[in-house]
Amino acid sequence: MGKRYRETLEELQVELTRLQRGLRSSGKRLLVIFEGRDTAGKGGTIKAISERLDTRGCRIVALPRPSDAEATQWYFQRYVAHLPNAGELVLFDRSWYNRAVVEPAMGFCDQNQYEAFLQAVPAFEKLLVDDGIILLKYWLAVDQAEQEQRFAERASDPLKRWKLSPVDLQARHKYAEMGRLRDVMIERTHSDRTPWFVADFNDQKRGRINLIRHLLLQVPMPDESAPRVKLPRLKGKPGKEHVTRQACRVPDTY
């Protein structure tokens, strides 16, 4: 699957660059929310979408826990600052939906805050889409046995160990509770204009391909392929770098 996956992903990434050009030329705003289980593959999917795009028109938002000041604000306030501008694609690695699943499961909000959030979300998201923002919401699903394998891999790999937070370790024991909260979240916040889409991520590569294909189908754009460019010949010999000696040099140690 490795070669086929890489070739398919590259084809989809070409389509994503066309999507980005379409957003720019039309001024449309696209917001994609990624929610799901720990280890489901949110970060890898966001990387696959964004790595070939122009970073000036694509932003990734992964907010830390609220500061003391932010905790006193209207709940949605810190997210509003990161909504897309005209022609922009914004990818939320988790979002305001923390209050629907993670926070109640881990005791980070009370019942009143939880219920107030579920009541407010439909109206909040209606404001976004009424103003022209294209909003896509994805839940990345993974079975607990597969999730445990990925936790073990992270625990044994020093390059992935940073992904294991104390909250992640506690959440391992709340798989069923988080599933129940997820279903309530979807039932209370799914609508024709702001639907939830569930993607099977037990196989992460297959899940990425399916999700990206689905995303592209939700936002049809005219074919705006990058025009071919013919580089004219340089006049004279190619120049060489002669940087002032005032600057410090990076040693060649490779």
Side-chain angles (χ1 to χ4, degrees), residues 29-60:
R29 295 166 288 166
L30 177 56
L31 173 61
V32 187
I33 287 175
F34 295 88
E35 296 287 347
R37 304 279 190 181
D38 294 324
T39 79
K42 297 180 291 297
T45 303
I46 289 171
K47 180 181 178 182
I49 291 170
S50 63
E51 65 182 348
R52 301 297 182 91
L53 298 181
D54 184 344
T55 55
R56 290 168 293 185
C58 175
R59 286 188 287 118
I60 299 169

Side-chain angles (χ1 to χ4, degrees), residues 153-173:
E153 180 185 350
R154 288 184 179 184
S156 63
D157 186 345
L159 294 178
K160 294 183 177 181
R161 209 168 288 154
W162 63 269
K163 295 183 177 183
L164 283 176
S165 71
V167 172
D168 294 336
L169 297 176
Q170 294 175 47
R172 286 180 58 225
H173 305 289

Side-chain angles (χ1 to χ4, degrees), residues 104-221:
M106 304 306 298
F108 297 154
C109 70
D110 61 35
Q111 185 64 29
N112 290 335
Q113 291 171 319
Y114 168 70
E115 185 59 36
F117 170 80
L118 289 176
Q119 291 183 11
V121 169
F124 173 67
E125 292 182 350
K126 183 177 184 299
L127 289 173
L128 301 184
V129 296
D130 282 351
D131 198 58
I133 292 177
I134 303 168
L135 175 61
L136 300 177
K137 304 186 294 189
Y138 289 99
W139 178 272
L140 280 55
V142 60
D143 295 336
Q144 192 170 22
E146 177 63 27
Q147 184 186 46
E148 282 297 296
Q149 289 185 10
R150 295 177 192 175
F151 274 133
E153 180 185 350
R154 288 184 179 184
S156 63
D157 186 345
L159 294 178
K160 294 183 177 181
R161 209 168 288 154
W162 63 269
K163 295 183 177 183
L164 283 176
S165 71
V167 172
D168 294 336
L169 297 176
Q170 294 175 47
R172 286 180 58 225
H173 305 289
K174 295 180 178 288
Y175 185 91
E177 182 179 355
M178 287 187 166
R180 179 186 61 79
L181 288 164
R182 174 208 57 217
D183 287 348
V184 172
M185 173 189 76
I186 292 173
E187 290 164 3
R188 297 279 297 272
T189 64
H190 175 94
S191 72
D192 290 341
R193 299 184 69 199
T194 60
W196 275 101
F197 299 105
V198 178
D200 183 345
F201 264 69
N202 282 295
D203 180 327
Q204 288 185 326
K205 290 181 178 179
R206 183 181 296 276
R208 280 182 209 138
I209 296 299
N210 289 336
L211 190 151
I212 295 171
R213 276 182 176 152
H214 182 271
L215 187 158
L216 289 165
L217 289 172
Q218 307 314 302
V219 195
M221 288 285 174

